[in-house]
Amino acid sequence: MTATDLLFLVGAGLLAGVVNALAGGGTLVSFPALLALGLPGLTATVTNAVALWPGYVGGAVGYRKELRGQRSRTVSLAVTAVLGACVGSSLLLLTPGKLFESMVPWLVAFASLALLAQPWLRRLFGGEAAEPVSRMVYAGVFLGGCYGAYFNGGMGVVLLTVLGMFLHDNLHRVNAVRAVLSLVVSSVSVVAFSLFGPVNWRAVAVIAPASLVGGLLGTRLARLMPPKVLRGVVVAFGLGVAAALALR
């Protein structure tokens, strides 16, 4: 790994941590960076999942204020996310590498489009109304946990979309719950992939500390950056990556 590669990965990890803390979707930055260095799809995915874990820690810690008064629903949703993550991790480790690589562009495109559709879906399901939490949120979080553990790319985007539809609360408080669920799913993935996956530990050693710093910075920026600006950047980047991977 050259000095240029090191700086490239540090930058990717830092930006991924920031984006994950803001709204999710940081893997759309770090995952292509690992592919660009020549890592196979499956290796890049498990390496990316392990490397970004510190960033999820930083994001969850940074949202301490917004998490106050949400302990009960956060814990119940976290248990659901753990179950989904266990299923998703198992599926990934049992999936043939070539099959997985053929699915990657579609998974990236799905994550990007989920973020694009979130505002419309939130209005459709009455996201600002003061109604009881729908049971559908648990099904959505379970599927989001499966998806996040199977392919980390856009996990936070998918979870935020689900929570935004069914948790009728301030967006910053919803995003705080999303940050905790992302950390939970990531933690399950880290354990499974560290034990059984083809992790590139050199890349992890570079990206992990950068993602932690990015996660802490991202929570501060979340209160300043207009959601539409971030959403547009991540969606455009994600769809571009999906197209590039499909052509490859």
Side-chain angles (χ1 to χ4, degrees), residues 45-46 49 81 84-90 92-93 143-152 155 185-186 188-189 193:
T45 297
V46 297
C86 289
V87 173
S89 298
S90 300
L92 177 60
L93 293 173
L143 294 175
C146 289
Y147 171 80
Y150 186 82
F151 179 63
N152 191 262
M155 169 181 63
V185 174
S186 179
V188 174
S189 300
F193 299 157

Side-chain angles (χ1 to χ4, degrees), residues 135-219:
R135 292 183 180 180
M136 289 296 294
V137 72
Y138 293 99
V141 168
F142 177 81
L143 294 175
C146 289
Y147 171 80
Y150 186 82
F151 179 63
N152 191 262
M155 169 181 63
V157 175
V158 173
L159 288 173
L160 186 57
T161 300
V162 171
L163 296 175
M165 286 191 291
F166 299 113
L167 293 187
H168 311 307
D169 205 339
N170 177 273
L171 183 58
H172 286 298
R173 283 169 54 84
V174 172
N175 204 22
V177 176
R178 188 274 312 160
V180 173
L181 297 183
S182 295
L183 173 59
V184 168
V185 174
S186 179
S187 298
V188 174
S189 300
V190 166
V191 173
F193 299 157
S194 296
L195 293 175
F196 306 109
V199 178
N200 186 312
W201 291 104
R202 288 188 300 172
V204 169
V206 177
I207 296 176
S211 71
L212 174 59
V213 175
L216 293 171
L217 290 175
T219 55

Side-chain angles (χ1 to χ4, degrees), residues 3-28:
T4 301
D5 293 338
L6 289 174
L7 291 175
F8 180 60
L9 288 181
V10 167
L14 181 65
L15 183 57
V18 169
V19 174
N20 274 337
L22 285 168
T27 293
L28 299 178

Side-chain angles (χ1 to χ4, degrees), residues 16 42-43 46 49 58 70 108 130 149:
L42 182 58
T43 301
V46 297
Q70 301 196 80
V108 175

